[in-house]
Each structure stands twice: as structure tokens, then as C-alpha cells.
């Protein structure tokens, strides 16, 4: 009996050692797998994260620091002035306030027109037309041209092209000083920006329209619904997520308009069309008041972020309700 019990004890110890060895091997394998996954994750994400930190985060937080200084952007001397820059903006800098109001007005107009025209173009090219692919290319093409180049092209059209058409036809619209008057210059910037952005918004709406079930539309038409009723009660609720995206994109891009403003009017005449982004650029790099320019940019960032978050929140709620 003693020999048998000893033998059982030895066998049990051997089995225990085998189990512990297997467990240790499995743990080691899992650790190696985790380290391998972590290494691959670092390999793919690391360079992008490093670039994001160097290009976005560090300049962002550095800009916040300079917003509270009087740095001119050139010399090495930086003096902390606290909230003096912000007090100056809200009490003395009338041009900043004017540019802010003008940018808000421009943003509202550009958002409405860009989305309406983009959605209208999407409805057009979503039809069974032989030339729909050609039309998509033509409508999207302005978005491929750089903003500055596009602005200079339209500057030539407004100044030379419209004047020639006005002389030949006598139509008063073409005889206006489009970039020489504050009212028409504002609408000139709107025309160029909407013409450029509507094609991109059109692509998003096309993708949404293609996901609308045709069975629902056919059933509604059989029940006697006209095109407007189908559009209002079926198509619009189903493309609501695309509307949210397009409103977000157009809000952000409209508030940050710079290239069209610079190339078309450069803020003229007499700074009457100077949008906020151009005002910030002029303050920081032309007037060499980098601290005040960063203070304007910080206020600009907070306002745009708050408006976009509010817009996305409201749009998402409406998606759920519909």
C-alpha cells in the first residue's frame, strides 16, 4: 500500500507539473501575442499620432499660450499680458466685431445655398439620365480646383468677363462693379464658395439617396403620393444622417473661409468684406501683432466648436424623431 500511495503521489505531482507547464506556456503565448499586437498597433498608429502631436496639438496649445501675451511674432521677447488682448478685442477692435458679424451672415447664407443646391444636384443626377456620370463629374470638378486659383479665375470673370457681357447685352446685372462695391462683393464671395462646395456636398447626398429603398417610393406612388410628398415624407427622413454631415461640413468650412476672400477682394473695398479668418491673418502676419491674432483665433475656435456641437446635437435629435 505504501508503494502504491507513493506511486500515486509521484503521478499526481507529474500531472501537476505538466498542467503548470501548459499554463505557463499559454500565458507566455498570450503575452507574446499581446506584445505583437501592441507592436503592430504602434507601428501603424505611432507615426500618425506623432505627426498629429507635432502638427496639431503642440501648435494649438502654443497658440493658446501666445493669446495671453504681447508677442509680435518676430522677436524673442514675450510678455505675459493676461486678458488684456481679449479686453482690447471686445472694447476697441471694431473691425474684429464687424468681421465677426459679416462672417456669421456669410455662414448662414452659404450653408443654406450650398446644401440646397447640392441636394438639388444630387436629385438631378440620381435620376435615370444617360449623362448622369458626365453631370456628376462636371458638378464636382470645381471642388478639385484650389481655392486661391479658383478665386483668381472668378476675379477675372467678375472684372473682365461680366463687363464684356454687359457691354454686348446691356443687362444691368453684368454691368455692376461686382468686386468694387461692398454689397455685390459679398455676394461674389458667396457665389464662388457655393459654386465650389456644392459639388462635394452633392456626392454625400447622392450616396444617401442611393440607400433609399425604391420599394417605399414605389409603394407611396401607388398610394397616390406625388413627388413632393415622396420627397418630404420618405426621402428626407431617410437622408437625415447625410443632412447632419453636410450641415457640419458646410458650417465649419463657411466659418473658416479664407482663400476665396483673399483672392477675390482681399477684404476690400475698405475692409467691408474682410471675413474673420482673413482678419486674423492680417492681424498676426501683416500687422505683426501675433498675440492679438491668437486671441482672435482662440475666440473663433470656441465659437465655431460650440456652434458645430450644437448643430450636430440638434440634427441627431431630429434624426431620431423622424
Amino acid at each position: 500500500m505504501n508503494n502504491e500511495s507513493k506511486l500515486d503521489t509521484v503521478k499526481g505531482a507529474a500531472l501537476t507539473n505538466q498542467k503548470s507547464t501548459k499554463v505557463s506556456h499559454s500565458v507566455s503565448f498570450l503575452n507574446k501575442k499581446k506584445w505583437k499586437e501592441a507592436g503592430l498597433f504602434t507601428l501603424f498608429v505611432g507615426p500618425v499620432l506623432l505627426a498629429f502631436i507635432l502638427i496639431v496639438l503642440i501648435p494649438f496649445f502654443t497658440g493658446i499660450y501666445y493669446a495671453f501675451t504681447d508677442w509680435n511674432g518676430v522677436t524673442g521677447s514675450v510678455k505675459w499680458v493676461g486678458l488684456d488682448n481679449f479686453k482690447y478685442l471686445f472694447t476697441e477692435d471694431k473691425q474684429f466685431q464687424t468681421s465677426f458679424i459679416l462672417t456669421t451672415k456669410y455662414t448662414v447664407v452659404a450653408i443654406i445655398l450650398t446644401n440646397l443646391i447640392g441636394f438639388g444636384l444630387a436629385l438631378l443626377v440620381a435620376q435615370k439620365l444617360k449623362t448622369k456620370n458626365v453631370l456628376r463629374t462636371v458638378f464636382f470638378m470645381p471642388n478639385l480646383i484650389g481655392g486661391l486659383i479658383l478665386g483668381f479665375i472668378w476675379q477675372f470673370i467678375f472684372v473682365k468677363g461680366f463687363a464684356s457681357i454687359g457691354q454686348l447685352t446691356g443687362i444691368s446685372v453684368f454691368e455692376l462693379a461686382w468686386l468694387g462695391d461692398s454689397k455685390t462683393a459679398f455676394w461674389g464671395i458667396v457665389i464662388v464658395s457655393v459654386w465650389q462646395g456644392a459639388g462635394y456636398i452633392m456626392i454625400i447626398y447622392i450616396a444617401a439617396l442611393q440607400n433609399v429603398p425604391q420599394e417605399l417610393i414605389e409603394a407611396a406612388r401607388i398610394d397616390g403620393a406625388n413627388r413632393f410628398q415622396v420627397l418630404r415624407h420618405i426621402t428626407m427622413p431617410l437622408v437625415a444622417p447625410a443632412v447632419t454631415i453636410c450641415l457640419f461640413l458646410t458650417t465649419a468650412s463657411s466659418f473658416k473661409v479664407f482663400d476665396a476672400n483673399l483672392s477675390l477682394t482681399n477684404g476690400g473695398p475698405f475692409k467691408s468684406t474682410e471675413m474673420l479668418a482673413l482678419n486674423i491673418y492680417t492681424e498676426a502676419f501683416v500687422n505683426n501683432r501675433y498675440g492679438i491674432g491668437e486671441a482672435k483665433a482662440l475666440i473663433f475656435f470656441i465659437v465655431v466648436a460650440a456652434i458645430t456641437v450644437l448643430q450636430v446635437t440638434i440634427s441627431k435629435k431630429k434624426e431620431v424623431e423622424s
Side-chain angles (χ1 to χ4, degrees):
M1 292 293 294
N2 291 332
N3 292 331
E4 291 179 356
S5 62
K6 288 181 180 179
L7 183 61
D8 292 337
T9 303
V10 171
K11 289 181 178 179
L15 291 172
T16 303
N17 289 332
Q18 289 179 356
K19 290 181 179 179
S20 62
T21 303
K22 289 181 179 178
V23 170
S24 62
H25 281 306
S26 62
V27 171
S28 176
F29 175 76
L30 290 174
N31 288 334
K32 289 181 179 179
K33 186 177 180 181
K34 287 182 179 179
W35 278 108
K36 184 178 179 180
E37 291 177 351
L40 290 173
F41 179 81
T42 304
L43 179 64
F44 285 103
V45 179
V48 178
L49 180 61
L50 180 62
F52 179 76
I53 292 172
L54 293 176
I55 297 173
V56 178
L57 290 184
I58 293 178
F60 176 75
F61 289 109
T62 305
I64 293 176
Y65 166 73
Y66 284 128
F68 297 91
T69 67
D70 66 345
W71 189 41
N72 60 7
V74 180
T75 61
S77 61
V78 180
K79 180 182 177 181
W80 181 269
V81 295
L83 298 175
D84 290 350
N85 290 337
F86 299 93
K87 292 178 182 178
Y88 169 78
L89 295 182
F90 289 110
T91 57
E92 300 181 34
D93 195 341
K94 301 300 180 182
Q95 183 58 44
F96 173 72
Q97 300 170 20
T98 303
S99 296
F100 198 97
I101 295 171
L102 181 67
T103 305
T104 304
K105 176 184 174 184
Y106 164 83
T107 301
V108 173
V109 175
I111 289 172
I112 295 173
L113 292 180
T114 304
N115 281 277
L116 285 178
I117 295 175
F119 187 70
L121 294 176
L123 288 175
L124 175 63
V125 298
Q127 304 298 318
K128 295 179 180 179
L129 301 174
K130 293 183 179 179
T131 58
K132 64 180 182 180
N133 291 329
V134 177
L135 291 175
R136 291 180 185 182
T137 304
V138 171
F139 294 147
F140 182 75
M141 195 174 296
N143 191 72
L144 301 176
I145 306 174
L148 285 174
I149 298 173
L150 196 67
F152 287 123
I153 292 172
W154 272 93
Q155 186 186 61
F156 175 81
I157 293 173
F158 281 128
V159 176
K160 301 293 184 181
F162 279 18
S164 300
I165 295 173
Q167 289 177 359
L168 293 174
T169 62
I171 300 174
S172 59
V173 174
F174 296 106
E175 294 178 345
L176 296 174
W178 274 89
L179 302 181
D181 182 77
S182 59
K183 294 180 180 179
T184 53
F186 170 81
W187 287 106
I189 298 172
V190 170
I191 290 171
V192 174
S193 299
V194 171
W195 186 72
Q196 182 185 24
Y200 181 75
I201 299 302
M202 175 197 69
I203 297 298
I204 299 175
Y205 282 130
I206 289 173
L209 289 172
Q210 289 176 343
N211 291 325
V212 176
Q214 294 298 315
E215 296 82 5
L216 293 177
I217 297 176
E218 292 175 359
R221 288 178 177 173
I222 292 173
D223 290 337
N226 56 36
R227 289 188 177 182
F228 178 75
Q229 290 172 331
V230 171
L231 178 64
R232 179 182 177 185
H233 298 290
I234 296 178
T235 305
M236 289 304 299
L238 292 176
V239 300
V243 174
T244 301
I245 295 172
C246 291
L247 287 177
F248 171 78
L249 293 174
T250 50
T251 300
S253 62
S254 298
F255 264 111
K256 297 184 296 182
V257 62
F258 174 77
D259 43 12
N261 191 193
L262 177 66
S263 55
L264 282 173
T265 64
N266 196 21
F270 305 107
K271 293 186 177 293
S272 60
T273 61
E274 187 178 71
M275 303 289 181
L276 203 50
L278 182 58
N279 179 261
I280 294 171
Y281 168 81
T282 303
E283 194 71 72
F285 300 107
V286 177
N287 299 337
N288 289 331
R289 297 199 293 182
Y290 196 85
I292 295 177
E294 284 292 347
K296 292 182 179 183
L298 181 59
I299 296 172
F300 189 33
F301 167 76
I302 294 172
V303 171
V304 174
I307 291 175
T308 51
V309 169
L310 181 63
Q311 173 262 311
V312 171
T313 304
I314 295 174
S315 300
K316 286 292 183 182
K317 287 183 179 179
K318 289 186 177 181
E319 287 180 25
V320 175
E321 290 174 359
S322 61

